[in-house]
mmCIF file of all heavy atoms in Angstrom:
data_model
loop_
_atom_site.group_PDB
_atom_site.id
_atom_site.type_symbol
_atom_site.label_atom_id
_atom_site.label_comp_id
_atom_site.label_asym_id
_atom_site.label_seq_id
_atom_site.Cartn_x
_atom_site.Cartn_y
_atom_site.Cartn_z
ATOM 1 N N GLY A 25 -10.104 2.913 -21.770
ATOM 2 C CA GLY A 25 -9.405 2.064 -20.818
ATOM 3 C C GLY A 25 -8.526 2.718 -19.835
ATOM 4 O O GLY A 25 -8.073 2.096 -18.876
ATOM 5 N N ASP A 26 -8.348 4.033 -19.997
ATOM 6 C CA ASP A 26 -7.535 4.772 -18.905
ATOM 7 C C ASP A 26 -8.299 4.797 -17.641
ATOM 8 O O ASP A 26 -9.513 4.940 -17.668
ATOM 9 C CB ASP A 26 -7.218 6.249 -19.427
ATOM 10 C CG ASP A 26 -6.028 6.282 -20.264
ATOM 11 O OD1 ASP A 26 -5.398 5.283 -20.512
ATOM 12 O OD2 ASP A 26 -5.717 7.456 -20.720
ATOM 13 N N ALA A 27 -7.555 4.874 -16.601
ATOM 14 C CA ALA A 27 -8.153 5.102 -15.277
ATOM 15 C C ALA A 27 -8.604 6.560 -15.187
ATOM 16 O O ALA A 27 -7.902 7.545 -15.539
ATOM 17 C CB ALA A 27 -7.184 4.862 -14.109
ATOM 18 N N LYS A 28 -9.908 6.831 -14.814
ATOM 19 C CA LYS A 28 -10.380 8.171 -14.697
ATOM 20 C C LYS A 28 -9.804 8.780 -13.426
ATOM 21 O O LYS A 28 -9.731 8.140 -12.410
ATOM 22 C CB LYS A 28 -11.933 8.172 -14.601
ATOM 23 C CG LYS A 28 -12.544 7.511 -15.857
ATOM 24 C CD LYS A 28 -12.276 8.338 -17.115
ATOM 25 C CE LYS A 28 -12.933 7.762 -18.298
ATOM 26 N NZ LYS A 28 -12.623 8.421 -19.599
ATOM 27 N N PRO A 29 -9.451 10.022 -13.483
ATOM 28 C CA PRO A 29 -8.935 10.680 -12.211
ATOM 29 C C PRO A 29 -9.938 10.660 -11.172
ATOM 30 O O PRO A 29 -11.129 11.045 -11.331
ATOM 31 C CB PRO A 29 -8.735 12.142 -12.746
ATOM 32 C CG PRO A 29 -8.576 12.061 -14.190
ATOM 33 C CD PRO A 29 -9.402 10.930 -14.616
ATOM 34 N N ARG A 30 -9.566 10.079 -9.986
ATOM 35 C CA ARG A 30 -10.490 10.164 -8.793
ATOM 36 C C ARG A 30 -9.830 11.018 -7.785
ATOM 37 O O ARG A 30 -8.750 10.842 -7.386
ATOM 38 C CB ARG A 30 -10.539 8.700 -8.260
ATOM 39 C CG ARG A 30 -11.170 7.672 -9.359
ATOM 40 C CD ARG A 30 -11.177 6.252 -8.691
ATOM 41 N NE ARG A 30 -11.787 5.381 -9.649
ATOM 42 C CZ ARG A 30 -11.760 4.062 -9.556
ATOM 43 N NH1 ARG A 30 -11.307 3.492 -8.385
ATOM 44 N NH2 ARG A 30 -12.274 3.221 -10.398
ATOM 45 N N LEU A 31 -10.690 11.897 -7.268
ATOM 46 C CA LEU A 31 -10.146 12.808 -6.236
ATOM 47 C C LEU A 31 -10.103 12.084 -4.960
ATOM 48 O O LEU A 31 -11.139 11.595 -4.502
ATOM 49 C CB LEU A 31 -11.031 14.046 -6.232
ATOM 50 C CG LEU A 31 -11.194 14.841 -7.481
ATOM 51 C CD1 LEU A 31 -12.075 16.024 -7.247
ATOM 52 C CD2 LEU A 31 -9.869 15.302 -8.043
ATOM 53 N N PRO A 32 -8.841 12.131 -4.218
ATOM 54 C CA PRO A 32 -8.919 11.418 -3.040
ATOM 55 C C PRO A 32 -9.680 12.203 -1.879
ATOM 56 O O PRO A 32 -9.908 13.419 -2.013
ATOM 57 C CB PRO A 32 -7.379 11.422 -2.669
ATOM 58 C CG PRO A 32 -6.917 12.733 -3.435
ATOM 59 C CD PRO A 32 -7.678 12.746 -4.645
ATOM 60 N N THR A 33 -10.090 11.427 -0.884
ATOM 61 C CA THR A 33 -10.735 12.099 0.231
ATOM 62 C C THR A 33 -9.671 12.852 0.999
ATOM 63 O O THR A 33 -8.486 12.712 0.773
ATOM 64 C CB THR A 33 -11.334 11.025 1.137
ATOM 65 O OG1 THR A 33 -10.371 10.198 1.651
ATOM 66 C CG2 THR A 33 -12.420 10.243 0.312
ATOM 67 N N LEU A 34 -10.094 13.582 2.062
ATOM 68 C CA LEU A 34 -9.182 14.392 2.800
ATOM 69 C C LEU A 34 -8.386 13.617 3.789
ATOM 70 O O LEU A 34 -7.384 14.094 4.395
ATOM 71 C CB LEU A 34 -9.965 15.510 3.596
ATOM 72 C CG LEU A 34 -10.700 16.533 2.711
ATOM 73 C CD1 LEU A 34 -11.453 17.498 3.636
ATOM 74 C CD2 LEU A 34 -9.725 17.334 1.871
ATOM 75 N N GLU A 35 -8.837 12.351 4.068
ATOM 76 C CA GLU A 35 -8.117 11.490 5.081
ATOM 77 C C GLU A 35 -6.747 11.095 4.584
ATOM 78 O O GLU A 35 -6.549 10.694 3.430
ATOM 79 C CB GLU A 35 -8.955 10.303 5.408
ATOM 80 C CG GLU A 35 -10.209 10.580 6.222
ATOM 81 C CD GLU A 35 -11.404 11.055 5.288
ATOM 82 O OE1 GLU A 35 -11.237 11.083 4.072
ATOM 83 O OE2 GLU A 35 -12.399 11.455 5.843
ATOM 84 N N GLU A 36 -5.814 11.124 5.441
ATOM 85 C CA GLU A 36 -4.466 10.727 5.079
ATOM 86 C C GLU A 36 -3.722 10.161 6.347
ATOM 87 O O GLU A 36 -4.158 10.398 7.444
ATOM 88 C CB GLU A 36 -3.659 11.754 4.482
ATOM 89 C CG GLU A 36 -3.272 12.899 5.504
ATOM 90 C CD GLU A 36 -2.383 13.984 4.891
ATOM 91 O OE1 GLU A 36 -2.000 13.919 3.798
ATOM 92 O OE2 GLU A 36 -2.038 14.901 5.640
ATOM 93 N N ALA A 37 -2.662 9.553 6.098
ATOM 94 C CA ALA A 37 -1.804 8.996 7.182
ATOM 95 C C ALA A 37 -0.409 9.561 6.956
ATOM 96 O O ALA A 37 0.065 9.755 5.774
ATOM 97 C CB ALA A 37 -1.690 7.461 7.213
ATOM 98 N N VAL A 38 0.250 9.949 8.032
ATOM 99 C CA VAL A 38 1.606 10.496 7.915
ATOM 100 C C VAL A 38 2.622 9.300 8.428
ATOM 101 O O VAL A 38 2.472 8.795 9.433
ATOM 102 C CB VAL A 38 1.776 11.707 8.880
ATOM 103 C CG1 VAL A 38 3.245 12.183 8.790
ATOM 104 C CG2 VAL A 38 0.838 12.781 8.351
ATOM 105 N N VAL A 39 3.571 9.104 7.536
ATOM 106 C CA VAL A 39 4.537 8.032 7.775
ATOM 107 C C VAL A 39 5.941 8.711 7.850
ATOM 108 O O VAL A 39 6.449 9.197 6.958
ATOM 109 C CB VAL A 39 4.565 6.923 6.701
ATOM 110 C CG1 VAL A 39 5.507 5.811 7.058
ATOM 111 C CG2 VAL A 39 3.149 6.382 6.513
ATOM 112 N N ALA A 40 6.530 8.661 9.116
ATOM 113 C CA ALA A 40 7.693 9.388 9.336
ATOM 114 C C ALA A 40 8.912 8.369 9.679
ATOM 115 O O ALA A 40 8.786 7.580 10.692
ATOM 116 C CB ALA A 40 7.686 10.374 10.451
ATOM 117 N N PHE A 41 9.999 8.308 8.938
ATOM 118 C CA PHE A 41 11.028 7.425 9.062
ATOM 119 C C PHE A 41 12.102 8.134 9.957
ATOM 120 O O PHE A 41 12.556 9.244 9.681
ATOM 121 C CB PHE A 41 11.660 7.001 7.798
ATOM 122 C CG PHE A 41 10.863 6.044 7.013
ATOM 123 C CD1 PHE A 41 9.731 6.490 6.321
ATOM 124 C CD2 PHE A 41 11.222 4.655 6.874
ATOM 125 C CE1 PHE A 41 8.910 5.580 5.651
ATOM 126 C CE2 PHE A 41 10.403 3.781 6.259
ATOM 127 C CZ PHE A 41 9.273 4.220 5.607
ATOM 128 N N CYS A 42 12.593 7.512 11.074
ATOM 129 C CA CYS A 42 13.657 8.051 11.825
ATOM 130 C C CYS A 42 14.969 7.618 11.375
ATOM 131 O O CYS A 42 15.517 6.600 11.719
ATOM 132 C CB CYS A 42 13.436 7.613 13.285
ATOM 133 S SG CYS A 42 11.835 8.056 14.073
ATOM 134 N N VAL A 43 15.616 8.291 10.437
ATOM 135 C CA VAL A 43 16.838 8.104 9.907
ATOM 136 C C VAL A 43 17.863 9.221 10.366
ATOM 137 O O VAL A 43 17.559 10.360 10.104
ATOM 138 C CB VAL A 43 16.811 8.028 8.302
ATOM 139 C CG1 VAL A 43 18.168 7.745 7.814
ATOM 140 C CG2 VAL A 43 15.793 6.969 7.844
ATOM 141 N N PRO A 44 18.977 8.858 10.998
ATOM 142 C CA PRO A 44 19.388 7.467 11.215
ATOM 143 C C PRO A 44 18.678 6.845 12.297
ATOM 144 O O PRO A 44 17.980 7.455 13.133
ATOM 145 C CB PRO A 44 20.953 7.626 11.749
ATOM 146 C CG PRO A 44 20.927 9.043 12.268
ATOM 147 C CD PRO A 44 19.947 9.815 11.423
ATOM 148 N N PRO A 45 18.792 5.451 12.469
ATOM 149 C CA PRO A 45 18.021 4.744 13.497
ATOM 150 C C PRO A 45 18.349 5.308 14.905
ATOM 151 O O PRO A 45 19.583 5.496 15.200
ATOM 152 C CB PRO A 45 18.558 3.309 13.304
ATOM 153 C CG PRO A 45 18.905 3.207 11.920
ATOM 154 C CD PRO A 45 19.530 4.551 11.585
ATOM 155 N N LEU A 46 17.388 5.590 15.681
ATOM 156 C CA LEU A 46 17.573 6.197 16.884
ATOM 157 C C LEU A 46 18.430 5.391 17.945
ATOM 158 O O LEU A 46 19.281 5.904 18.657
ATOM 159 C CB LEU A 46 16.231 6.548 17.634
ATOM 160 C CG LEU A 46 15.325 7.490 16.878
ATOM 161 C CD1 LEU A 46 13.975 7.750 17.576
ATOM 162 C CD2 LEU A 46 16.122 8.837 16.751
ATOM 163 N N ASP A 47 18.264 4.025 17.924
ATOM 164 C CA ASP A 47 18.959 3.226 18.860
ATOM 165 C C ASP A 47 20.193 2.521 18.194
ATOM 166 O O ASP A 47 20.834 1.723 18.809
ATOM 167 C CB ASP A 47 18.055 2.166 19.458
ATOM 168 C CG ASP A 47 17.418 1.255 18.405
ATOM 169 O OD1 ASP A 47 17.891 1.354 17.287
ATOM 170 O OD2 ASP A 47 16.508 0.433 18.770
ATOM 171 N N GLY A 48 20.474 2.879 16.838
ATOM 172 C CA GLY A 48 21.599 2.359 16.185
ATOM 173 C C GLY A 48 21.427 0.895 15.647
ATOM 174 O O GLY A 48 22.291 0.420 15.010
ATOM 175 N N ARG A 49 20.289 0.334 15.988
ATOM 176 C CA ARG A 49 20.059 -1.047 15.557
ATOM 177 C C ARG A 49 18.948 -1.162 14.507
ATOM 178 O O ARG A 49 19.127 -1.608 13.405
ATOM 179 C CB ARG A 49 19.809 -1.987 16.733
ATOM 180 C CG ARG A 49 20.962 -2.028 17.709
ATOM 181 C CD ARG A 49 20.767 -3.156 18.705
ATOM 182 N NE ARG A 49 19.467 -2.853 19.462
ATOM 183 C CZ ARG A 49 19.339 -2.096 20.545
ATOM 184 N NH1 ARG A 49 20.450 -1.357 20.965
ATOM 185 N NH2 ARG A 49 18.197 -1.868 21.168
ATOM 186 N N ASP A 50 17.754 -0.739 15.002
ATOM 187 C CA ASP A 50 16.515 -0.942 14.175
ATOM 188 C C ASP A 50 15.992 0.458 13.859
ATOM 189 O O ASP A 50 15.928 1.326 14.636
ATOM 190 C CB ASP A 50 15.444 -1.749 14.911
ATOM 191 C CG ASP A 50 15.947 -3.120 15.290
ATOM 192 O OD1 ASP A 50 16.810 -3.653 14.522
ATOM 193 O OD2 ASP A 50 15.499 -3.654 16.259
ATOM 194 N N LEU A 51 15.594 0.638 12.542
ATOM 195 C CA LEU A 51 14.882 1.899 12.131
ATOM 196 C C LEU A 51 13.457 2.020 12.659
ATOM 197 O O LEU A 51 12.726 1.063 12.419
ATOM 198 C CB LEU A 51 15.089 2.012 10.652
ATOM 199 C CG LEU A 51 14.716 3.341 10.005
ATOM 200 C CD1 LEU A 51 15.580 3.595 8.747
ATOM 201 C CD2 LEU A 51 13.180 3.454 9.610
ATOM 202 N N LEU A 52 13.172 3.027 13.225
ATOM 203 C CA LEU A 52 11.798 3.315 13.708
ATOM 204 C C LEU A 52 10.944 4.052 12.704
ATOM 205 O O LEU A 52 11.503 5.021 12.071
ATOM 206 C CB LEU A 52 11.796 3.937 15.048
ATOM 207 C CG LEU A 52 12.618 3.257 16.163
ATOM 208 C CD1 LEU A 52 12.611 4.063 17.450
ATOM 209 C CD2 LEU A 52 12.119 1.859 16.385
ATOM 210 N N VAL A 53 9.672 3.701 12.623
ATOM 211 C CA VAL A 53 8.787 4.536 11.713
ATOM 212 C C VAL A 53 7.504 4.779 12.559
ATOM 213 O O VAL A 53 6.962 3.918 13.238
ATOM 214 C CB VAL A 53 8.350 3.676 10.516
ATOM 215 C CG1 VAL A 53 7.467 4.514 9.586
ATOM 216 C CG2 VAL A 53 9.609 3.192 9.765
ATOM 217 N N PHE A 54 7.114 6.098 12.506
ATOM 218 C CA PHE A 54 5.885 6.457 13.166
ATOM 219 C C PHE A 54 4.781 6.609 12.133
ATOM 220 O O PHE A 54 4.943 7.223 11.058
ATOM 221 C CB PHE A 54 6.079 7.785 13.870
ATOM 222 C CG PHE A 54 6.932 7.694 15.123
ATOM 223 C CD1 PHE A 54 8.264 7.922 14.980
ATOM 224 C CD2 PHE A 54 6.353 7.483 16.407
ATOM 225 C CE1 PHE A 54 9.108 7.886 16.119
ATOM 226 C CE2 PHE A 54 7.164 7.370 17.464
ATOM 227 C CZ PHE A 54 8.544 7.581 17.417
ATOM 228 N N VAL A 55 3.570 6.067 12.426
ATOM 229 C CA VAL A 55 2.444 6.143 11.503
ATOM 230 C C VAL A 55 1.295 6.914 12.283
ATOM 231 O O VAL A 55 0.924 6.491 13.342
ATOM 232 C CB VAL A 55 1.946 4.773 11.049
ATOM 233 C CG1 VAL A 55 0.722 4.974 10.098
ATOM 234 C CG2 VAL A 55 3.098 4.052 10.315
ATOM 235 N N ALA A 56 0.928 8.024 11.795
ATOM 236 C CA ALA A 56 -0.111 8.846 12.442
ATOM 237 C C ALA A 56 -1.224 8.958 11.526
ATOM 238 O O ALA A 56 -1.139 9.260 10.348
ATOM 239 C CB ALA A 56 0.466 10.238 12.860
ATOM 240 N N CYS A 57 -2.523 8.661 12.123
ATOM 241 C CA CYS A 57 -3.729 8.673 11.259
ATOM 242 C C CYS A 57 -4.841 9.121 12.210
ATOM 243 O O CYS A 57 -5.254 8.366 13.106
ATOM 244 C CB CYS A 57 -4.009 7.344 10.598
ATOM 245 S SG CYS A 57 -5.528 7.308 9.676
ATOM 246 N N ALA A 58 -5.451 10.352 11.860
ATOM 247 C CA ALA A 58 -6.514 10.826 12.765
ATOM 248 C C ALA A 58 -7.748 9.902 12.587
ATOM 249 O O ALA A 58 -8.530 9.850 13.584
ATOM 250 C CB ALA A 58 -6.881 12.192 12.319
ATOM 251 N N ASP A 59 -7.920 9.318 11.460
ATOM 252 C CA ASP A 59 -9.176 8.461 11.328
ATOM 253 C C ASP A 59 -9.008 7.100 11.990
ATOM 254 O O ASP A 59 -9.979 6.314 12.032
ATOM 255 C CB ASP A 59 -9.445 8.252 9.814
ATOM 256 C CG ASP A 59 -10.183 9.364 9.274
ATOM 257 O OD1 ASP A 59 -10.452 10.341 9.978
ATOM 258 O OD2 ASP A 59 -10.484 9.335 8.027
ATOM 259 N N ASP A 60 -7.817 6.723 12.454
ATOM 260 C CA ASP A 60 -7.603 5.494 13.157
ATOM 261 C C ASP A 60 -7.940 5.703 14.640
ATOM 262 O O ASP A 60 -7.138 5.998 15.418
ATOM 263 C CB ASP A 60 -6.104 4.997 12.962
ATOM 264 C CG ASP A 60 -5.992 3.457 13.424
ATOM 265 O OD1 ASP A 60 -6.957 3.080 14.076
ATOM 266 O OD2 ASP A 60 -5.010 2.991 13.138
ATOM 267 N N VAL A 61 -9.195 5.510 14.971
ATOM 268 C CA VAL A 61 -9.606 5.842 16.278
ATOM 269 C C VAL A 61 -8.936 4.930 17.418
ATOM 270 O O VAL A 61 -8.535 5.390 18.479
ATOM 271 C CB VAL A 61 -11.143 5.704 16.481
ATOM 272 C CG1 VAL A 61 -11.664 5.944 17.899
ATOM 273 C CG2 VAL A 61 -11.871 6.574 15.474
ATOM 274 N N ALA A 62 -8.783 3.584 17.068
ATOM 275 C CA ALA A 62 -8.247 2.697 17.990
ATOM 276 C C ALA A 62 -6.750 3.058 18.325
ATOM 277 O O ALA A 62 -6.289 3.088 19.486
ATOM 278 C CB ALA A 62 -8.305 1.356 17.490
ATOM 279 N N GLN A 63 -5.963 3.399 17.267
ATOM 280 C CA GLN A 63 -4.513 3.686 17.472
ATOM 281 C C GLN A 63 -4.136 4.870 16.559
ATOM 282 O O GLN A 63 -3.644 4.558 15.489
ATOM 283 C CB GLN A 63 -3.639 2.439 17.241
ATOM 284 C CG GLN A 63 -3.551 1.471 18.371
ATOM 285 C CD GLN A 63 -2.578 0.386 18.094
ATOM 286 O OE1 GLN A 63 -2.790 -0.499 17.173
ATOM 287 N NE2 GLN A 63 -1.387 0.377 18.804
ATOM 288 N N PRO A 64 -4.355 6.003 16.866
ATOM 289 C CA PRO A 64 -4.066 7.198 16.007
ATOM 290 C C PRO A 64 -2.601 7.302 15.725
ATOM 291 O O PRO A 64 -2.224 7.886 14.671
ATOM 292 C CB PRO A 64 -4.610 8.346 16.655
ATOM 293 C CG PRO A 64 -4.698 7.950 18.181
ATOM 294 C CD PRO A 64 -5.018 6.560 18.156
ATOM 295 N N VAL A 65 -1.700 6.852 16.596
ATOM 296 C CA VAL A 65 -0.288 6.947 16.366
ATOM 297 C C VAL A 65 0.343 5.549 16.729
ATOM 298 O O VAL A 65 0.113 5.006 17.753
ATOM 299 C CB VAL A 65 0.375 8.033 17.318
ATOM 300 C CG1 VAL A 65 1.948 8.004 17.027
ATOM 301 C CG2 VAL A 65 -0.108 9.368 16.902
ATOM 302 N N ARG A 66 1.117 5.043 15.789
ATOM 303 C CA ARG A 66 1.702 3.720 16.012
ATOM 304 C C ARG A 66 3.194 3.783 15.786
ATOM 305 O O ARG A 66 3.728 4.693 14.938
ATOM 306 C CB ARG A 66 1.097 2.623 15.100
ATOM 307 C CG ARG A 66 -0.318 2.607 15.150
ATOM 308 C CD ARG A 66 -0.723 1.249 14.459
ATOM 309 N NE ARG A 66 -2.236 1.283 14.166
ATOM 310 C CZ ARG A 66 -2.885 0.183 13.768
ATOM 311 N NH1 ARG A 66 -2.248 -0.860 13.420
ATOM 312 N NH2 ARG A 66 -4.194 0.302 13.586
ATOM 313 N N LEU A 67 3.996 2.978 16.456
ATOM 314 C CA LEU A 67 5.428 2.916 16.279
ATOM 315 C C LEU A 67 5.763 1.578 15.595
ATOM 316 O O LEU A 67 5.288 0.485 16.138
ATOM 317 C CB LEU A 67 6.129 3.056 17.590
ATOM 318 C CG LEU A 67 7.652 2.734 17.675
ATOM 319 C CD1 LEU A 67 8.373 3.877 16.815
ATOM 320 C CD2 LEU A 67 8.143 2.805 19.076
ATOM 321 N N VAL A 68 6.471 1.531 14.599
ATOM 322 C CA VAL A 68 6.833 0.325 13.839
ATOM 323 C C VAL A 68 8.389 0.235 13.929
ATOM 324 O O VAL A 68 9.058 1.204 13.578
ATOM 325 C CB VAL A 68 6.332 0.356 12.376
ATOM 326 C CG1 VAL A 68 6.683 -0.959 11.735
ATOM 327 C CG2 VAL A 68 4.868 0.655 12.289
ATOM 328 N N ARG A 69 8.824 -0.893 14.377
ATOM 329 C CA ARG A 69 10.228 -1.206 14.363
ATOM 330 C C ARG A 69 10.692 -2.128 13.204
ATOM 331 O O ARG A 69 10.231 -3.186 13.072
ATOM 332 C CB ARG A 69 10.615 -1.846 15.634
ATOM 333 C CG ARG A 69 12.114 -2.073 15.848
ATOM 334 C CD ARG A 69 12.378 -2.715 17.235
ATOM 335 N NE ARG A 69 12.112 -1.879 18.339
ATOM 336 C CZ ARG A 69 12.953 -0.894 18.750
ATOM 337 N NH1 ARG A 69 14.213 -0.857 18.270
ATOM 338 N NH2 ARG A 69 12.723 -0.154 19.717
ATOM 339 N N LEU A 70 11.545 -1.581 12.361
ATOM 340 C CA LEU A 70 12.017 -2.280 11.185
ATOM 341 C C LEU A 70 13.359 -3.063 11.572
ATOM 342 O O LEU A 70 14.429 -2.538 11.457
ATOM 343 C CB LEU A 70 12.304 -1.356 10.049
ATOM 344 C CG LEU A 70 10.977 -0.523 9.605
ATOM 345 C CD1 LEU A 70 11.384 0.312 8.313
ATOM 346 C CD2 LEU A 70 9.807 -1.476 9.312
ATOM 347 N N THR A 71 13.219 -4.247 12.003
ATOM 348 C CA THR A 71 14.319 -4.991 12.698
ATOM 349 C C THR A 71 15.303 -5.202 11.561
ATOM 350 O O THR A 71 15.076 -5.689 10.503
ATOM 351 C CB THR A 71 13.776 -6.328 13.097
ATOM 352 O OG1 THR A 71 12.749 -6.083 14.096
ATOM 353 C CG2 THR A 71 14.903 -7.089 13.731
ATOM 354 N N GLY A 72 16.552 -4.945 11.912
ATOM 355 C CA GLY A 72 17.799 -5.164 11.103
ATOM 356 C C GLY A 72 18.154 -4.091 10.102
ATOM 357 O O GLY A 72 19.155 -3.977 9.505
#
């Protein structure tokens, strides 16, 4: 019943938190993923 070890593929995403918040209000997070052809780098704003 144990999960068998599965080797992950080489693809990964990098998630970088900007602490302290750059604008003093909302924390920004950058998500970078080479396999995401449409948007390889995204900016996420964590409001509040």
Side-chain angles (χ1 to χ4, degrees):
D26 274 2
K28 301 295 183 184
R30 298 177 182 176
L31 302 183
T33 61
L34 295 178
E35 291 80 5
E36 69 174 0
V38 177
V39 183
F41 288 74
C42 299
V43 181
L46 295 179
D47 58 8
R49 296 187 304 275
D50 302 330
L51 190 146
L52 303 179
V53 183
F54 290 91
V55 179
C57 177
D59 277 4
D60 191 349
V61 179
Q63 279 187 290
V65 179
R66 304 193 195 187
L67 173 64
V68 183
R69 183 178 292 274
L70 304 183
T71 304

